[in-house]
Amino acid sequence: MDALLPPDMAKKAEDIGVRKAGMDAFSMFMLAVLAGAFIALGAVFATTAAAGTSGVVPYGVQRLIVGTVFSLGLILVVVGGAELFTGNSLIVMAWASRRISLAALLRNWAIVFVGNFAGSVGIAGLVYFSGHHEFGSGSVGLTALKIAQGKLQFGFLQAVCLGILCNLLVCLAVWLTFSARSTTDRILAIVPPIACFVAAGFEHSIANMYFVPVAWLIQCGASGMFWSTVSNSPADFADITWSAFLLKNLLPVTIGNIIGGGVLVGVIYWIIYLRTNHSAEPQ
């Protein structure tokens, strides 16, 4: 069967938004925990793929590899079925059509955000206590530390802009899956936009809920043997703190993600394809 065309994709996005907003709180939260875990697993894959490549593989090639494997996270979310905060930015299309209330939209975002946090941090704890950071003669753990440290160096406005660019691509990936007729279609639609945002260094709030906490655990609890192996010390990564994560990264990146996905994808496509369907309805 032919793939859906954009006008039908917009109607499908609106219908999905109504269903998502109307889900009971417990199911919504549990599916959000799964999504956080799925994105974290993509981050584990990306960290492992990047380990030991610095100075060995050209920067662009390394970023392409990391971005491609990270797409596992959104594939698991879309194909496996889960509630991801960044993708749920597209629920604004149902709100703009007045099929759900603002309260229902914000309820979904709040529950899903908290659930995503729980799932991501849970995987971070499992990965740390598995000793995964010691694999590759410590290169996996050192890579995780460097990734997190880099994420905490952005200025507020820069982090917002990186968040906008990220979720523009994430929501475009989700948007493309609305045209799909098969699992293969969905996977092929997801990989290029996700690989692009990761390769380019854009910022995803839910992925960062894994990247920074796992690095914090390593920084606080890794053994002396680990630090000796990687020729570093905890002091080299002292700026990896919860306060820095929440205020310098998670807050601005989340704001940017909402703008990038909700406005630059959701609202724009609503204006193009759905605005005239509702302009004549009574206020």
Side-chain angles (χ1 to χ4, degrees), residues 46 49-50 53-54 56-69 195 198-199:
T53 60
S54 181
V56 177
V57 177
Y59 175 80
V61 175
Q62 180 215 48
R63 299 303 302 172
L64 175 60
I65 294 169
V66 170
T68 301
V69 301
V198 177

Side-chain angles (χ1 to χ4, degrees), residues 108-228:
N108 177 275
W109 283 359
I111 293 173
V112 170
F113 191 84
V114 173
N116 288 170
F117 189 90
S120 298
V121 172
I123 293 296
L126 283 173
V127 168
Y128 169 73
F129 287 110
S130 74
H132 185 254
H133 59 285
E134 298 177 351
F135 291 7
S137 299
S139 63
V140 172
L142 183 60
T143 299
L145 288 161
K146 289 181 177 179
I147 289 173
Q149 184 166 257
K151 290 178 177 296
L152 300 178
Q153 306 306 310
F154 303 125
F156 194 93
L157 179 59
Q158 184 182 14
V160 170
C161 291
L162 290 169
I164 291 172
L165 291 165
C166 166
N167 212 32
L168 170 64
L169 285 161
V170 171
C171 284
L172 282 174
V174 174
W175 170 262
L176 291 178
T177 67
F178 294 153
S179 72
R181 296 289 194 179
S182 70
T183 298
T184 301
D185 293 346
R186 289 182 175 88
I187 293 172
L188 292 175
I190 287 169
V191 174
I194 301 305
C196 176
F197 105 68
V198 177
F202 302 151
E203 289 291 299
H204 189 267
S205 56
I206 310 306
N208 291 353
M209 293 175 183
Y210 167 80
F211 281 124
V212 180
V214 77
W216 177 79
L217 287 169
I218 296 168
Q219 193 270 343
C220 292
S223 67
M225 182 176 294
F226 167 81
W227 292 111
S228 175

